[in-house]
Amino acid sequence: MTTATRERPAAQSTAPRRAGIIDCDVHPGPRTNDEIKAHMPLPFRNRWNGGGRGFFGNPVHGARLDSKPPSGGGPGTDPEFLRKQLIDEYGIAHAVLLPRAFCNHHPDPDFGTAIAAAYNDWLAETWLGAYNADGAFKGSITVAHQDPQAAAREIERWAGHPHFVQVMTDSGARAPFGQRQYYPIYEACAKHNLPFAIHPGTDGMGINSQPSPGYPTHYIEWHTCLSLAFQAHLVSFLTEGVFEKFPNFKVVLVEGGVAWLPGLLWRLDAEWKALRTEVPWVKQRPSAYLRDHVRLSSQPLERPDDDKELLQLLAMMDAEHVLMFASDYPHWDFDSPARAFPKLPEAMRQRIFETNAREWYRL
């Protein structure tokens, strides 16, 4: 069976422009599963009992110890408490919300699509609707990439909503994201100028491949190696010529680390010089596509003991133009805006904490 295309509710934004930090990775959640089930058609409503990434769970604690709302519910489920701990405390102009639907590992693509659509309906109704009078919250359209055509229809359903600013999916997949089966998603993203955000999740789960050679033993090993899928997806985008085929297409690599970027691009540029006859559609050095087509979020920021070395790393990766601040609230490895970076040159600080995201998301 296939899931029917649903109409979305109309929404308008009348909130004034907000100034301040833009946090590009904030995770809201439903208070209960029933909030999601209410938007899910049968028979999927009866089959869904919540998401999760499987057996690699944090053995200590998965969220900030102080992030559970006094009103009850899990971390990230109370908008007023989130505002107190994040928006108000740090002067956040906009929090870009990435719900964790975990819809991309199901072998039944209709089930995955139904989960994604339900999360989008819920997010639009609550965090982007009833909880968002001032426009501080901006959202991500969740898609199930098992069915790229259905994912493209879901993008069409929400494109034009004033508070959805990007499309998002998990890094877990059956193939690198540059391959052509995913093109309907990228065509829809480019058509509506919506960046395509990739977030860790569902790697090695269900139908998806594990990016390491086999499964790690411990959470610490799994969490350290989260960047492997991101590196593979980025090389695939570049060598498959996705940015030449879709000149308006943009990618955000969220929570996949940053320190690996310079070395990976140096290696790929060197390979391209010798092997570019294999990929003639890659018309310039792979690294040359980054500034126009790719952004990375800052959390987790691999930080050496010497802050001077961190500043050198930021310069090597062109952080002033490709890095966007993210806190990863309310997770255990939350990065406070007050402590995430050493003293940066003012121009770089302004771009990382606000300008890059404002330009990327047209805020």
Side-chain angles (χ1 to χ4, degrees):
M1 67 175 291
T2 58
T3 52
T5 301
R6 294 187 287 184
E7 295 296 323
R8 70 169 176 86
Q12 292 183 328
S13 177
T14 58
R17 186 179 188 273
R18 296 171 57 87
I21 295 169
I22 297 176
D23 188 340
C24 296
D25 187 19
V26 177
H27 297 296
R31 290 185 172 94
T32 69
N33 286 346
D34 287 341
E35 288 191 354
I36 304 300
K37 284 177 174 285
H39 298 284
M40 197 174 292
L42 293 172
F44 306 115
R45 186 189 314 155
N46 293 336
R47 292 170 54 188
W48 187 78
N49 291 304
R53 64 172 171 250
F55 33 75
F56 290 115
N58 190 306
V60 183
H61 52 86
R64 282 175 43 170
L65 295 178
D66 64 346
S67 64
K68 189 170 183 179
S71 59
T77 61
D78 184 325
E80 294 307 315
F81 191 62
L82 185 148
R83 284 178 176 275
K84 178 182 177 181
Q85 286 198 319
L86 184 68
I87 303 289
D88 298 339
E89 182 168 349
Y90 297 107
I92 303 296
H94 294 291
V96 181
L97 306 178
L98 291 91
R100 306 304 295 120
F102 299 103
C103 61
N104 290 297
H105 66 287
H106 294 284
D108 179 351
D110 293 330
F111 189 25
T113 296
I115 296 169
Y119 264 86
N120 293 332
D121 286 333
W122 162 78
L123 190 69
E125 180 182 278
T126 56
W127 291 83
L128 304 184
Y131 309 160
N132 201 32
D134 59 357
F137 297 130
K138 300 298 178 181
S140 306
I141 303 169
T142 298
V143 296
H145 57 64
Q146 305 95 302
D147 186 341
Q149 296 287 351
R153 291 194 295 272
E154 188 66 12
I155 295 167
E156 292 286 347
R157 187 165 75 100
W158 291 105
H161 187 286
H163 298 304
F164 276 118
V165 297
Q166 67 183 4
V167 174
M168 72 168 290
T169 198
D170 292 332
S171 55
R174 286 178 287 178
F177 281 151
Q179 294 187 9
R180 65 192 67 186
Q181 61 264 37
Y182 300 113
Y183 283 3
I185 298 173
Y186 308 154
E187 183 176 15
C189 288
K191 174 183 175 181
H192 297 289
N193 201 16
L194 290 167
F196 180 71
I198 304 169
H199 187 281
T202 68
D203 301 82
M205 290 176 57
I207 59 175
N208 293 332
S209 300
Q210 175 68 22
S212 59
Y215 285 80
T217 303
H218 301 106
Y219 175 84
I220 186 173
E221 182 181 0
W222 173 83
H223 200 260
T224 300
C225 294
L226 283 177
S227 66
L228 297 179
F230 286 79
Q231 295 178 58
H233 289 315
L234 179 58
V235 171
S236 180
F237 281 130
L238 292 167
T239 57
E240 295 276 0
V242 173
F243 301 128
E244 289 287 349
K245 185 171 182 62
F246 303 105
N248 294 333
F249 181 57
K250 300 184 292 187
V251 171
V252 186
L253 306 179
V254 182
E255 206 176 321
V258 299
W260 50 265
L261 183 66
L264 182 73
L265 292 178
W266 296 337
R267 181 181 178 92
L268 183 56
D269 280 353
E271 299 275 348
W272 175 79
K273 288 179 182 178
L275 301 170
R276 56 186 167 182
T277 56
E278 184 188 20
V279 288
W281 44 84
V282 184
K283 297 180 180 179
Q284 53 186 332
R285 288 187 309 163
S287 61
Y289 291 93
L290 266 286
R291 189 177 289 193
D292 289 337
H293 296 281
V294 179
R295 294 293 180 269
L296 293 85
S297 73
S298 63
Q299 195 286 331
L301 181 67
E302 300 91 346
R303 187 164 178 170
D305 292 334
D306 188 338
D307 283 342
K308 292 179 181 178
E309 295 175 352
L310 176 59
L311 291 172
Q312 292 170 349
L313 171 67
L314 295 176
M316 286 187 285
M317 65 172 290
D318 192 24
E320 185 169 342
H321 297 100
V322 305
L323 194 62
M324 304 190 300
F325 174 75
S327 70
D328 194 27
Y329 181 92
H331 291 165
W332 65 275
D333 48 352
F334 167 83
D335 276 355
S336 162
R339 296 181 297 181
F341 291 91
K343 185 174 179 59
L344 295 173
E346 184 54 35
M348 181 182 290
R349 171 172 288 276
Q350 176 64 26
R351 291 200 64 88
I352 291 174
F353 278 87
E354 180 178 1
T355 307
N356 286 341
R358 192 171 293 282
E359 292 174 351
W360 209 241
Y361 295 124
R362 298 175 294 158
L363 297 175

